[in-house]
Amino acid sequence: MAVTNIKTVVEATVAPQIIALELKYKSAIDEARSIVEAQDKIIANNATAVGDTQLALNKMKQNLADMSKRLDTIEANIATLRADVDKLIAAN
């Protein structure tokens, strides 16, 4: 009879504690999964932002290269214009 009483006591006291711990464990795992999912979203958003920034940087580099070519053309035209003006001044 003592064994039955011990079994009853264990079932009445330990089993609910084990179930409560299991629920806490499952809840902690679910929370950890949620955190990992949120971190994954942040990483994906950061990767997108880095990619967008890199595309913008490449576009700016191309724009600067194009502007540099145009400035070279403008400088050459200014030099030609100065030479023409100098010729006109010298001729008069």
Side-chain angles (χ1 to χ4, degrees):
M1 206 177 283
V3 173
T4 304
N5 287 339
I6 292 174
K7 183 179 177 186
T8 304
V9 170
V10 168
E11 288 175 352
T13 58
V14 176
Q17 291 173 355
I18 291 172
I19 292 170
L21 289 173
E22 285 178 347
L23 291 174
K24 286 181 182 179
Y25 174 75
K26 288 177 183 178
S27 177
I29 289 175
D30 290 342
E31 186 175 343
R33 281 188 183 129
S34 294
I35 290 169
V36 169
E37 289 172 4
Q39 288 174 339
D40 287 346
K41 287 178 184 177
I42 290 169
I43 290 169
N45 288 341
N46 287 347
T48 300
V50 168
D52 291 347
T53 302
Q54 187 63 47
L55 288 173
L57 177 63
N58 290 342
K59 181 69 174 173
M60 283 191 262
K61 284 181 181 179
Q62 185 60 49
N63 288 342
L64 287 172
D66 293 345
M67 288 170 54
S68 178
K69 291 174 189 174
R70 290 181 186 125
L71 287 174
D72 290 344
T73 302
I74 291 169
E75 287 176 349
N77 290 341
I78 289 171
T80 301
L81 183 59
R82 281 188 184 147
D84 290 345
V85 168
D86 288 343
K87 285 179 189 175
L88 286 173
I89 292 172
N92 289 324

